[in-house]
Amino acid sequence: MHVDYLDGPLKHLSNDWRFESDGQGGVLVHFEVDFAFKNRLFEAIAGQMFDTALRKMIGAFETRAAELYASGSGSSSSSAHNAA
């Protein structure tokens, strides 16, 4: 899934979600995001907060996926990439 940003305080924002089988009945989720703010001050602030915000977003995604699709496997792992 590919998402592009249309309008707002950012110069650009795009993110890609890729889902693939882990070969054991689970799914690996790959998420990439590339963004830049129009304002350098916002960019500096966002850079400091990005890791925390991304971890919260991944946690929310995993929690919701577990609620919807839990199969009792009990294990998960996450990784993220920021190309900004």
Side-chain angles (χ1 to χ4, degrees), residues 30-53:
H30 303 272
F31 174 72
E32 293 186 31
V33 62
D34 181 24
F35 68 94
F37 282 88
K38 293 176 184 174
N39 181 303
R40 286 184 170 253
L41 177 61
F42 289 153
E43 180 109 20
I45 293 169
Q48 294 175 356
M49 307 282 293
F50 182 81
D51 187 60
T52 300

Side-chain angles (χ1 to χ4, degrees), residues 10-81:
L10 298 171
K11 274 194 247 184
H12 70 270
L13 168 67
S14 65
N15 60 63
D16 290 289
W17 295 81
R18 190 168 46 93
F19 304 88
E20 69 179 276
S21 171
D22 70 357
Q24 301 175 359
V27 175
L28 298 172
V29 179
H30 303 272
F31 174 72
E32 293 186 31
V33 62
D34 181 24
F35 68 94
F37 282 88
K38 293 176 184 174
N39 181 303
R40 286 184 170 253
L41 177 61
F42 289 153
E43 180 109 20
I45 293 169
Q48 294 175 356
M49 307 282 293
F50 182 81
D51 187 60
T52 300
L54 184 59
R55 290 188 187 284
K56 284 184 179 184
M57 185 173 67
I58 290 169
F61 181 90
E62 289 177 333
T63 297
R64 184 63 177 147
E67 290 171 358
L68 294 174
Y69 306 108
S71 63
S73 66
S75 67
S76 68
S77 65
S78 302
S79 65
H81 171 72

